Each structure stands twice: as C-alpha cells, then as structure tokens.
Amino acid sequence: MKKRLLKVAVTTALTVAFAVPAFAASANPFSDVPANHWAYDAVNKLAQAGVVDGYADGTFKGDKTMTRYEMAQIVAKAMNKSLNDDQQGTVDELSQEFAAELNNLGVKVDSLQEQVDDMVKVSGDARVRYFAAEDAGDNTDFRARVNFDGKISDNLKFNARLTSGNMNYDGGNGDAGINTANVTFDALGLTNTIGRQDVILAEGYLFDTQMNAVATEIGGLKLVAGNTDANRIYAAEYGFNALGTDLVADYYKNDTADQEIYGLSTGFKLTKNLAINASYYDNNDADATAVSYGVKLNKLGLSATYRDVEAGAYTGFGALANDQQPSTLESGFKGMEYAYDRALDRNTALNVKYQDFEDQDGIDLGARTQATVSVKF
C-alpha cells in the first residue's frame, strides 16, 4: 500500500467580538479603587484585548481612579463575553474580587443579561481538510461559516448562516452563499423549525446535509419533511434508553427516488473508557442492507468500525456520500474504517479517518485518508 505523508494546515481562528452597551458611571456607594490596584492592570489587559470597552464614550482611562461600582459594571460586561482561557482566568479573578459589588448589582446584571439575550449572536466555524485516495489523488480544501442567531419574540427565533463553500487550495471554489435560513418556535409542546436547515439523522448515515424542510421535535422524537436536490423526503428518528443502552430507530423515505429505509443503531459502554456501537439499515425497495459495528476508546479518541454496505443501501445525503466516490457507493463496499479524534486546543479539534474498503465482490477499492482540523468561534 502506497504510503502518504499527511500534511494538515491549521487555519487562523476567526474572532468575533460582541459589543455590549457600557454603563454610565453613577453615584459612588463603594470605596474608590486606586489606579495602582491590581485590578486596574487586569482590566487594562482586557481592554487592550477588546473584551471590555470601559466608559459610555467607548474609552478606557487606565490612569483614572474608578469606584468599585464602576469596576464591577465592567466586570459584569466581561462575564457575558466569549473568552479564551487566559481572559476567562482574569475575569474569574476579577469576579471574586468584586463579588459583593456584583451581588449588589443583581438587578442591573440581570438586565444586562436580558440585553445580551436579545442581541443577534454571531458564531461560526472554519475547517481545513486534507483528502487522499489511491484511486483519486489528493486534495486540500477550506471552508468557513458564520452563524447569525437572534430572537424575534419570546417564542420565535431565527437562524441564518453564510458559508464560503469548499474552496480548494488550487483556487477552485465551492458554492458560497446562505446555506441555512429558518425560524424556530414552540407550539402544542412541539419545537418546530421551518426553512433551510441542517438535517442530521442516524449520526449522519441517513442525513448530514442542509435541506428546505419542516422539522418537529418532542422529547426523543424528531420528524422531518422537505426537499433537497429535487427529491421529496420524509424522515423520522426516535432515540431512547433501555436497560442502560442507547437505542435510535430511524425511518427514511425518498418519494422521488422510490426509496425507503428502516434502521436501528445502538451504543453502550463496556467500561468507562470502552464503548461498543452497532447499526443495521434495510432498504426494502432495493432489497439491500447496511451493517456496521465497532469499538471506541473514549480517552484515547480512537475507534475502529467494520462496514458492510450493499448497493442501494445508502441515501446519497449522508456522511458516506462525503467519504466515498459515487461509483463506490453504487456498487456497495465493505471493510474497515479507523478514526482518531483529539482536541488540539479550546474549540479546536483534529479528526483523522482512514478507510480500507473493497467492493461486494472482493475487489480492492484502494485506501482513502481524510484529516480535518476544525475551529469554532
């Protein structure tokens, strides 16, 4: 087997800062904090990092004596920001120093939280992926996405996401634009989402894509109806626990392609560090099945899975469609898949996947390797 040296490029994490309206200074009910107090250096450090913005005019006067009341208000704002580990440690120390003042601010801090809850929240992720296959060469691509989540009313929320699409290192671009845009609301005990949304079913086997749909959830039951790539789709998933074992039952129907799949997957821990998983899917229309079973060492992030997927036992919208060539899926395949997952840093993860499959007749399909670094912000 031809050896390959994996080279995974790490993307520069995108940073989004939230600006929270500053409080104006008011009467001083506490003792002054001198400019040489340790907290001044700490707040100055946060100000230089853009975590706090100081006074109402947007300035931070590090050489001006502040009241403990003013300082506590600045700490309260910082407590509602997205912080890295170093910044979080500084804010934790400040919150301990001004614990009494923060407690006395109770109503004002709660009001600040309400303001934050009403704001449009911006988050996102970025990904660099290296892919190599014996039958298709290698490739590196990049994708960045930015999410916008907001509250229209107490019972109506919206989501929209911009994506760069998969951009190849050689200049090729994927489909950039808006790939989710939906509203969510509760009614009759159901949580409903209408619009273009992420749909993930059967841990990605049936679905791992976006589609225009209506989705409803209650407890462990999820129902989906929608369209994607000119296909009319209906799906249901129910997850529950029985005797300490997690079980998930799935149903998928593609009216356009006249395809119907039933599935059941399970997972349970043998020990604290060792987990077992298995799944079975049956496409009645094609008389085809897909079976998988494997183990995972949770502490090490290592897993090994055996897959046996007959022709016609996949949907075309799941994770397998991202891993394999269409011709491979159409003829079916079987073999081993190995994966390694590791957190590189806060909000940064590495996933390496190695697949060694043959077709249903025993012909070697060639090894396929994928390495991905993902960053959330």
Side-chain angles (χ1 to χ4, degrees), residues 201-203 206 220-223 235-241 246-252 261-266 278-281:
L201 295 175
E203 295 186 336
L206 293 179
L221 176 64
K222 182 174 184 178
L223 305 174
E237 181 172 272
Y238 181 58
F240 58 99
N241 185 280
D246 292 325
L247 296 167
V248 180
D250 287 281
Y251 171 75
Y252 165 93
I261 295 177
Y262 298 86
L264 183 66
S265 59
T266 182
S279 66
Y280 175 83
Y281 299 95

Side-chain angles (χ1 to χ4, degrees), residues 20 72 81 125 149 176 188 190 217 231 240 247 251 304 312 319 352:
V20 181
K81 297 293 185 71
D125 60 82
D149 294 281
L188 302 176
L190 305 172
E217 294 185 57
N231 291 276
F240 58 99
L247 296 167
Y251 171 75
V352 179

Side-chain angles (χ1 to χ4, degrees), residues 290-346:
V291 176
S292 74
Y293 46 87
V295 298
K296 183 174 183 179
L297 299 174
N298 295 318
K299 190 173 182 179
L300 297 177
L302 294 171
S303 64
T305 304
Y306 176 79
R307 298 189 184 278
D308 187 343
V309 181
E310 295 180 348
Y314 77 103
T315 71
F317 302 110
L320 289 178
N322 297 324
D323 290 343
Q324 297 293 311
Q325 295 279 17
S327 59
T328 300
L329 292 170
E330 291 166 4
S331 62
F333 61 91
K334 56 186 176 181
M336 291 300 301
E337 175 182 290
Y338 304 94
Y340 174 64
D341 294 282
R342 180 179 178 83
L344 299 180
D345 201 348
R346 184 180 182 184

Side-chain angles (χ1 to χ4, degrees), residues 3 7 14 35 141 159 167 172 189 199 220 246 268 336 360:
K3 295 183 178 179
K7 295 182 179 180
L14 303 177
D141 65 18
N159 162 265
M167 301 185 297
V199 179
D246 292 325
F268 57 92
M336 291 300 301
Q360 291 295 324

Side-chain angles (χ1 to χ4, degrees), residues 160-179:
R161 183 173 64 208
L162 298 175
T163 179
S164 67
N166 296 327
M167 301 185 297
N168 295 330
Y169 76 97
D170 59 1
N173 293 329
D175 296 329
I178 298 176
N179 72 343

